[in-house]
Amino acid sequence: MQQIAESNINYRLVEQKFEGSLDTLIMTYLLKNLKSDRVPFKLFIQKLEAKIIQNALVLTGGSQKRAAAILGIKTTTFHEKFHKYNLNKELDPTLIIDRENANILSF
């Protein structure tokens, strides 16, 4: 899997999209819990953490060492979480990246 060149990333756009998406995600979770579709908070956080790890791997072209560095965690901690969530080594490159244009699309 090819690594995305950092110079091709519009960080301001990513930050804006992330903030909006994060707010939407949080409100969706809270509104679901207002209804009868309760999702335990711990499960919600675990799914979010697994998705962040997957996206970091895609962004780094599958490099677990670089993904751990981006997330600010030790490589051993990264490996533990990778196995805890049974993440697939064959990552789906469409998770966040338009491979032809090397741009972050959405979260």
Side-chain angles (χ1 to χ4, degrees):
M1 187 178 296
Q2 191 175 18
Q3 181 177 328
I4 300 304
E6 290 183 27
S7 61
N8 292 338
I9 299 173
N10 180 336
Y11 289 102
R12 183 172 294 233
L13 178 63
V14 171
E15 186 177 336
Q16 289 170 349
K17 286 186 159 220
F18 176 75
E19 287 298 323
S21 296
L22 186 57
D23 289 342
T24 301
L25 177 68
I26 292 167
M27 285 308 288
T28 301
Y29 168 74
L30 293 173
L31 290 171
K32 261 190 121 154
N33 281 351
L34 279 175
K35 298 178 183 177
S36 60
D37 302 341
R38 296 208 180 266
V39 176
F41 183 71
K42 187 174 183 175
L43 177 62
F44 173 74
I45 295 299
Q46 288 173 340
K47 287 185 174 195
L48 182 60
E49 184 176 48
K51 189 59 90 173
I52 291 169
I53 290 169
Q54 284 179 318
N55 283 306
L57 282 167
V58 170
L59 188 63
T60 62
S63 169
Q64 292 186 10
K65 186 176 181 178
R66 283 212 63 226
I70 287 171
L71 297 172
I73 60 177
K74 294 180 181 180
T75 306
T76 53
T77 302
F78 184 89
H79 290 298
E80 288 169 7
K81 290 178 182 295
F82 184 86
H83 293 294
K84 174 183 176 181
Y85 297 124
N86 294 319
L87 298 176
N88 190 347
K89 292 187 187 249
E90 294 297 318
L91 297 170
D92 179 0
T94 63
L95 281 174
I96 61 168
I97 297 171
D98 175 349
R99 307 265 308 153
E100 286 186 21
N101 298 316
N103 290 325
I104 302 294
L105 295 176
S106 63
F107 286 89

